[in-house]
Amino acid sequence: MAAPLQDAAPLQLHTVEVDQPLAAVNRLLAGLHLALAAAAIAHRGVHDILLAADLVLLFLWLLSQAPMLRPVSRAAFPGRLSRPALLAVDVMVVTADPDKEPAAKVMNTVISAMALDYPGGRLTVYLSDDAGSPLTLLAARKAYAFASVWVPFCRKYGVQCPCPERFFAGSDQLDGGGGVDHDRELAGDKIRVKNMYETFRKGIEEATKDAALSGSCTRAARQDHDAHVEIIADKQDSNSDGDEDAMPSLVYVSREKRPAWAHHFKAGALNVLLRVSSLMSNAPYVLVLDCDMYCNTRSSAMEAMCFHLDSRRRRADDLAFVQFPQMFHNLSGNDIYANELRSIFSTRWKGLDGLRGPILSGTGFCLRRDAVYGARPSSSQGPFSSMEVGELKTRFGHSNGHLVSLRRTAGSTTGVLPQDATLVASCEYEMGTRWGEEVGFLYQSVVEDYFTGYRQLYCRGWTSVYCYPAPSRPAPFLGSVPTNLNDVLVQNKRWMSGMLAVGLSRHCPLGSALAVSLPQSMGFAYYAFMALYAFPVLCYATVPQLSFFRGGGATSFPVASSLWFTAVFVSSLLQHLIEVSVAKRRLAVRTWWNEQRFWALNAVTGQLFACLSVALDLVGAGGQAVNFDLTSKASDHGELYRDGVFDFAGCSTVLLPATTLCLLNNAALVGGIWKMVIGGGRGDTVSVELFLLCYVAALSYPLLQGMVLRRDPARVPAWITAMSVGMAATLLSLFG
């Protein structure tokens, strides 16, 4: 008698592997460096200011090592997913300034999201326009019209890159392989769709010019406008909600903004999208994208589902989000500004993934809706079903439609009236609720991603995974990086000040070691306190220089400590070089040098001003408004960046400390050597100082070049050079 048939075991949708050799090397290097650092500090004088600098460096280094102890890699297998079993996904794209975020680029992101390889009946794209710009609304309507042709084209021919701008630039070469008739049809369709795209693009460009001439969206109007929600097209004509061939819906959302109401920047915009989408598609998963971070492959949503829907995970119900890396299409081969963020996305996020998951990173993450609503993993099945209506209203507000969405089947839809959507997008809706405090993306920090991931998700027991593509696979998403130094420094200042404010508040990650593991809390704390690099770098950029210039036998590195300092310095450089080379899969000396240089530059610019900003806020002397200037995504002249030349055009006061320290170091180096030649050698007692000054001179050479040697428009502004000369001369006269 035949054995009874049994249900087949579910297929494994993803794999995870700990990189044991790399973990062993990291631990060995960490142990060696710790021993050398402890010996060097032990030989420091108790009253030496450099002792304090060394202790801060050791503190930050210890925090930075937590994500290095257990790096892992993952692989997803979207081909094993059962498409009928896929759950709905809402894609949320956020834009705020049509000047800095051109409509054509934003629409490419929207169109690429609509063309994802996912059942069209279960995919809805929401576009948040915080400026309330008529141009963006017009562009969205045009984008849907083009997408109605582009999406079927992608499905028919298996297009891999769903971003039309990149596709027609030649980034995705379709392989015919279907016979003469098929290839002829493909060639004809490609020309037809390309012509339609050119018409679409030129239409947006003309509308942009008209909007600029008419002044239809002034700065004042962007901060004072009514809510507007428009379903540009929906699925009413589809055969079913799960129809593979259905066109994804596109919904335009412009929340109400008034000067008297705090709008909480990106976090506020995302919370409005959560509420508006709950009235419409109410998908259980939310994919968040910055407006310049377009989909580079059609499989990213499916890859995220490989983790969310894999029942073979040890704890399948505690996964809050899948984080994809941020990668960029306009990176220079000689990335002088370290825009690649290699340390984060190629190294430390893999290590944090070996703990309980990476930090929520602003864009390119697929998130569970109930998790960001404030549920806990243990209550994820109907987490709000047991709450009384009054409690729900206190937490979520008074929209009946939104409250109903909390208890209805995830992904189910109900009829939504325009007034319902505009209500949840109004300024007053959140008043008296827990939005931004316990529900949705949190408002207590300008780095809403970092803070929400840590407080709202990890501290409630959720985990995450990091989906980094294999070397042979294309990047899931591609964004753009700033190519002007001032934009890079201002962006870093905003990040650093937001995270330092969290670190110095009652929400400090080090105080949450009981809610999360100690290594993970250290990993979060490293970024919270990263701005403190400003103090030791500032010390090492002034004290040895003034001591060397002063001469007379005095030195900041006595013989007893000079050998240990040298050993720690070499160990640090070696550890960094190995880390970079492992990430790049080759000996990457140029990347290592660029990161060394920008680390020092950022410490005395963006991080220094972040420390000052947070300090002023703590004593009540800070400004009333948070500086949340967007970096420009508009097409700029990045030739200098691509050629490996620093672009100082438009640099503000944030650059002044770096240029001053550069001149101080070079003046001290020349003056100190002159005194040694004239007055007899101090040889052994100053060899470490001399080496350090030469190293700093090499690091800061682009600054010196920009102040003294260059005459092009992108050199260091003359007023910064003049102020730097005066400040460096003052320091040398007072302390030299």
Side-chain angles (χ1 to χ4, degrees):
M1 181 176 178
L5 295 176
Q6 296 181 355
D7 292 338
L11 293 174
Q12 188 172 12
L13 299 178
H14 80 279
T15 59
V16 57
E17 182 179 356
V18 179
D19 193 335
Q20 296 289 3
L22 179 58
V25 171
N26 288 343
R27 294 172 185 180
L28 177 64
L29 291 174
L32 174 63
H33 186 81
L34 179 61
L36 293 174
I41 290 174
H43 286 82
R44 278 284 185 197
V46 177
H47 303 293
D48 191 342
I49 188 174
L50 293 182
L51 173 62
D54 290 345
L55 290 174
V56 173
L57 283 173
L58 180 60
F59 169 70
L60 292 172
W61 177 84
L62 285 171
L63 295 180
S64 75
Q65 294 308 295
M68 305 293 290
L69 302 180
R70 192 174 182 269
V72 302
S73 59
R74 298 181 185 269
F77 308 106
R80 299 178 181 178
L81 283 167
S82 170
R83 294 183 74 91
L86 292 174
L87 300 179
V89 174
D90 288 340
V91 183
M92 298 182 177
V93 181
V94 182
T95 184
D97 189 332
D99 295 332
K100 294 184 176 182
E101 299 166 339
K105 291 186 177 294
V106 176
M107 295 310 132
N108 266 277
T109 300
V110 170
I111 294 168
S112 72
M114 295 180 69
L116 286 170
D117 180 19
Y118 211 78
R122 303 188 192 119
L123 186 67
T124 306
V125 179
Y126 293 85
L127 173 62
S128 171
D129 174 22
D130 246 17
S133 169
L135 170 63
T136 305
L137 177 56
L138 174 64
R141 293 168 179 162
K142 289 179 177 291
Y144 187 87
F146 173 72
S148 64
V149 177
W150 173 248
V151 171
F153 175 80
C154 292
R155 292 171 177 171
K156 181 177 181 179
Y157 295 108
V159 171
Q160 294 303 306
C161 178
C163 175
E165 181 180 19
R166 294 288 290 176
F167 176 83
F168 292 119
S171 65
D172 190 345
Q173 298 296 329
L174 291 178
D175 181 14
V180 176
D181 292 339
H182 177 274
D183 292 351
R184 185 181 299 114
E185 183 182 13
L186 168 60
D189 283 350
K190 186 174 181 180
I191 293 174
R192 177 178 60 88
V193 175
K194 182 177 182 180
N195 290 336
M196 295 181 69
Y197 174 72
E198 289 300 319
T199 302
F200 158 73
R201 182 182 60 81
K202 291 177 181 177
I204 292 182
E205 290 177 352
E206 291 174 0
T208 301
K209 293 177 182 177
D210 293 341
L213 292 174
S214 64
S216 59
C217 187
T218 63
R219 291 287 175 183
R222 294 173 191 177
Q223 302 300 321
D224 190 1
H225 57 79
D226 295 331
H228 180 76
V229 179
E230 181 173 325
I231 304 175
I232 296 176
D234 59 26
K235 308 179 182 71
Q236 292 179 357
D237 296 331
S238 300
N239 295 327
S240 69
D241 286 345
D243 189 359
E244 279 278 349
D245 298 326
M247 271 294 293
S249 293
L250 176 59
V251 182
Y252 170 89
V253 180
S254 176
R255 58 176 170 151
E256 180 187 16
K257 292 180 76 174
R258 304 298 178 198
W261 290 84
H263 54 85
H264 304 294
F265 309 106
K266 183 179 176 181
L270 287 173
N271 284 342
V272 168
L273 289 184
L274 285 172
R275 294 194 295 270
V276 171
S277 63
S278 74
L279 302 175
M280 299 179 184
S281 49
N282 195 36
Y285 298 101
V286 173
L287 175 61
V288 177
L289 299 176
D290 281 348
C291 65
D292 66 322
M293 188 69 66
Y294 62 80
C295 303
N296 190 52
T297 66
R298 296 179 61 223
S299 62
S300 52
M302 294 283 285
E303 290 176 7
M305 290 300 108
C306 287
F307 299 98
H308 280 300
L309 303 182
D310 194 345
S311 60
R312 296 167 61 109
R313 291 184 69 247
R314 186 178 60 175
R315 292 184 59 188
D317 62 343
D318 68 349
L319 180 63
F321 66 93
V322 176
Q323 179 68 59
F324 293 92
Q326 293 184 27
M327 297 179 171
F328 309 98
H329 64 82
N330 63 333
L331 275 178
S332 168
N334 184 15
D335 183 20
I336 53 177
Y337 304 147
N339 275 327
E340 185 184 11
L341 303 177
R342 188 275 321 157
S343 174
I344 295 175
F345 295 111
S346 296
T347 302
R348 280 174 172 75
W349 265 216
K350 292 182 179 180
L352 285 172
D353 194 17
L355 303 176
R356 287 180 58 199
I359 295 172
L360 194 68
S361 305
T363 181
F365 59 86
C366 188
L367 172 70
R368 281 183 62 148
R369 183 183 290 267
D370 57 353
V372 79
Y373 277 174
R376 294 181 181 273
S378 58
S379 62
S380 59
Q381 300 299 323
F384 308 111
S385 59
S386 61
M387 285 188 181
E388 298 292 336
V389 174
E391 185 180 358
L392 286 174
K393 288 185 176 181
T394 299
R395 288 178 60 85
F396 295 97
H398 289 73
S399 167
N400 291 330
H402 179 52
L403 296 181
V404 169
S405 74
L406 299 171
R407 291 182 171 177
R408 73 174 189 255
T409 303
S412 61
T413 59
T414 60
V416 54
L417 300 176
Q419 58 266 32
D420 295 333
T422 54
L423 169 65
V424 298
S426 65
C427 291
E428 296 182 353
Y429 184 80
E430 292 184 353
M431 186 170 59
T433 71
R434 307 307 296 169
W435 281 98
E437 297 179 12
E438 297 177 7
V439 177
F441 291 86
L442 305 185
Y443 297 155
Q444 292 94 323
S445 172
V446 295
V447 282
E448 80 293 326
D449 48 356
Y450 172 86
F451 190 64
T452 299
Y454 155 61
R455 292 296 301 179
Q456 183 79 317
L457 302 177
Y458 287 116
C459 288
R460 291 180 182 271
W462 293 96
T463 64
S464 69
V465 298
Y466 186 48
C467 187
Y468 191 88
S472 60
R473 299 280 297 165
F477 304 97
L478 284 175
S480 59
V481 297
T483 58
N484 173 276
L485 179 62
N486 189 66
D487 285 347
V488 177
L489 296 179
V490 170
Q491 185 181 62
N492 275 275
K493 172 186 174 294
R494 185 174 74 235
W495 292 340
M496 294 297 107
S497 60
M499 289 187 286
L500 181 60
V502 173
L504 298 180
S505 71
R506 61 187 178 89
H507 302 296
C508 175
L510 289 178
S512 302
L514 296 179
V516 298
S517 66
L518 178 60
Q520 190 180 34
S521 67
M522 291 173 64
F524 271 85
Y526 173 64
Y527 292 96
F529 294 113
M530 184 185 283
L532 297 183
Y533 274 126
F535 172 69
V537 174
L538 195 61
C539 289
Y540 274 103
T542 52
V543 175
Q545 285 75 3
L546 294 173
S547 173
F548 186 76
F549 181 77
R550 189 182 304 118
T555 177
S556 52
F557 295 99
V559 176
S561 65
S562 60
L563 179 61
W564 291 111
F565 171 83
T566 303
V568 172
F569 186 76
V570 172
S571 170
S572 176
L573 296 183
L574 178 62
Q575 191 178 28
H576 182 209
L577 179 60
I578 293 175
E579 178 184 314
V580 172
S581 298
V582 168
K584 305 296 285 187
R585 297 176 177 268
R586 56 181 170 79
L587 183 61
V589 176
R590 185 167 68 175
T591 300
W592 166 80
W593 178 252
N594 284 335
E595 289 189 7
Q596 284 279 314
R597 181 169 56 195
F598 189 77
W599 172 80
L601 175 62
N602 191 37
V604 295
T605 52
Q607 292 176 348
L608 176 60
F609 276 87
C611 291
L612 294 175
S613 175
V614 173
L616 290 174
D617 287 340
L618 290 176
V619 299
Q624 295 298 314
V626 179
N627 182 1
F628 200 81
D629 289 338
L630 294 171
T631 52
S632 177
K633 281 82 174 181
S635 296
D636 53 14
H637 301 288
E639 290 83 3
L640 291 175
Y641 167 69
R642 287 190 289 272
D643 293 340
V645 178
F646 277 71
D647 182 1
F648 299 106
C651 276
S652 60
T653 313
V654 72
L655 187 64
L656 187 58
T659 51
T660 300
L661 294 172
C662 170
L663 292 177
L664 174 67
N665 183 83
N666 285 279
L669 180 61
V670 173
I673 292 177
W674 177 255
K675 290 181 180 179
M676 288 174 60
V677 172
I678 297 300
R682 292 177 286 156
D684 297 337
T685 62
V686 296
S687 58
V688 175
E689 281 182 348
L690 178 59
F691 169 76
L692 180 62
L693 267 65
C694 290
Y695 187 75
V696 173
L699 288 176
S700 61
Y701 176 72
L703 294 173
L704 183 66
Q705 184 185 41
M707 288 185 287
V708 179
L709 303 179
R710 288 170 54 181
R711 291 294 179 267
D712 58 279
R715 66 184 183 273
V716 175
W719 68 271
I720 291 182
T721 301
M723 291 187 67
S724 299
V725 170
M727 295 172 68
T730 301
L731 287 172
L732 289 172
S733 63
L734 291 177
F735 304 104

